[in-house]
Amino acid sequence: MMMKRQTLALLASGLALAALPTAHAQAPAANWPAKPIRWVVPFPPGGAMDAIARTLGEKAGKTLGQPFVIENKPGAGGNIGADYVAKQPGDGYTMMITSIGMATNKPLYGKLSYDPIKDFAPVSLLAVVPNVLVTNATQPDVKTARDVIAAARKAPGQLTYASAGNGTSIHLAGEVFTSLAQVEMLHIPYKGSGPAVSDLLGGQVNYMFDSITSARPHIQSGKLRALGVTTAKRSSALPDVPTLAEAGVPGYEVSPWFAVFMPASTPKAIVSKLNAALLAAMKDPEVAKRFESIGAEPVGSTPDELAKHLARESDRWTKLITERGIKLD
């Protein structure tokens, strides 16, 4: 009888000890957040990504009772910021906004210091910011995307399209266009969207698949002509501009997206609380107004939906980058 009691006591003690890690893991989530949260933006201030983070951070911070502190860590196509976040503890106090580069950097760079899928916990898709095919408005014979295709077929490899650099969504949008339309065009990479747009306005290049954020002011001023947006649906920022699929390239769709990730070891309960705060912030009228001003279409998702989206995007862009022989140099 004595031995039986001792055995039961040991079993009870073992069960209590086994339960300790779970209780310990739940405690930080229950009290989270207890201090400011670092929101890493892996690109310089001033762009759409930075604007989205700052806008959502302000609203979500009020919901959670702690501020979001934006930290810009630019460089290497977002890799410096991503590497930093991947190596942070999963305590819920470091997060990152990122873009389509999360799916393209591995095939572009060949080897990364982090794994875009294994080293991160997906939180939520945030928004899509369409690219738009534009040309200098002084070109009288180019009114539609079909005109671009016809001109490219008459002069293979002679028409040019600018981008913000090799491997950017602006460049990849052009690669998808020439592939589906079965035309040859010369890609001219620049160091950023600004100088590319400048040369487009000056007539040094023929076309560009620019971000709607930077292209819309020139479209509205009449300096650039919009021929088609890259997304599957028309953009609310340019509702009269057809999609490229509508405008003569069936099956065309490139949707530059923005999403939030945390270090892989972040507890699911914290991920869920952050997800809920971000989704609530996106419904705020002030956030909607700010998104509209930069041409961003709110999306929102569950963490699982983002994980599946990243897997699909990684497969798609790895295939295209490999087949087209796209390199960074």
Side-chain angles (χ1 to χ4, degrees):
M1 182 66 89
M2 181 68 72
M3 289 182 65
K4 188 174 181 180
R5 287 174 180 168
Q6 289 175 337
T7 302
L8 289 171
L10 285 170
L11 284 171
S13 176
L15 289 171
L17 287 171
L20 281 177
T22 301
H24 179 72
Q26 289 174 347
N31 298 326
W32 182 89
K35 62 181 182 179
I37 302 161
R38 290 184 297 174
W39 191 338
V40 173
V41 179
F43 287 90
M49 184 183 295
D50 187 71
I52 289 171
R54 292 178 189 277
T55 301
L56 286 178
E58 181 180 353
K59 294 297 178 182
K62 291 178 180 177
T63 299
L64 293 171
Q66 290 289 343
F68 286 84
V69 180
I70 306 299
E71 292 188 10
N72 295 90
K73 293 185 179 294
N79 285 327
I80 290 176
D83 176 75
Y84 172 81
V85 173
K87 292 175 171 57
Q88 297 305 300
D91 57 7
Y93 293 101
T94 306
M95 58 189 283
M96 172 180 70
I97 183 172
T98 187
S99 65
I100 196 171
M102 199 73 163
T104 61
N105 280 352
K106 193 169 184 178
L108 285 171
Y109 284 84
K111 186 177 181 181
L112 299 176
S113 57
Y114 63 92
D115 188 300
I117 293 177
K118 295 179 181 179
D119 290 342
F120 295 92
V123 179
S124 178
L125 277 166
L126 298 179
V128 166
V129 179
N131 289 335
V132 56
L133 173 58
V134 288
T135 189
N136 193 306
T138 59
Q139 295 197 64
D141 299 329
V142 183
K143 304 289 186 182
T144 69
R146 289 184 177 87
D147 294 333
V148 178
I149 295 169
R153 286 177 178 165
K154 287 181 181 178
Q158 294 184 38
L159 296 180
T160 57
Y161 71 94
S163 83
N166 285 319
T168 60
S169 71
I170 296 173
H171 173 205
L172 296 177
E175 292 284 349
V176 175
F177 180 86
T178 56
S179 176
L180 291 179
Q182 298 182 335
V183 297
E184 292 180 30
M185 297 172 67
L186 180 62
H187 170 230
I188 309 294
Y190 287 78
K191 292 183 178 180
S193 178
V197 172
S198 179
D199 273 7
L200 180 64
L201 291 168
Q204 282 77 36
V205 288
N206 301 115
Y207 306 104
M208 185 173 178
F209 294 81
D210 195 23
S211 167
I212 205 166
T213 306
S214 64
R216 184 165 61 165
H218 300 296
I219 294 168
Q220 292 172 333
S221 71
K223 294 179 180 178
L224 292 179
R225 181 177 298 129
L227 306 176
V229 294
T230 63
T231 42
K233 297 179 180 179
R234 293 194 181 197
S235 168
S236 60
L238 295 172
D240 296 329
V241 178
T243 67
L244 285 171
E246 291 177 303
V249 191
Y252 188 99
E253 189 264 321
V254 175
S255 300
W257 48 269
F258 297 90
V260 165
F261 293 83
M262 301 182 91
S265 59
T266 306
K268 288 184 178 180
I270 289 178
V271 170
S272 295
K273 287 179 75 172
L274 177 59
N275 175 275
L278 291 172
L279 294 183
M282 280 192 280
K283 294 178 181 178
D284 187 280
E286 290 182 16
V287 171
K289 185 177 180 180
R290 178 59 176 145
F291 271 38
E292 194 282 331
S293 72
I294 61 173
E297 308 280 352
V299 180
S301 75
T302 66
D304 186 57
E305 287 169 342
L306 174 54
K308 291 176 181 177
H309 178 77
L310 177 59
R312 287 193 302 269
E313 287 283 275
S314 296
D315 289 344
R316 178 193 184 185
W317 294 117
T318 296
K319 184 174 184 291
L320 179 89
I321 289 165
T322 302
E323 288 179 349
R324 305 285 288 186
I326 299 171
K327 300 185 184 298
L328 291 178
D329 52 10

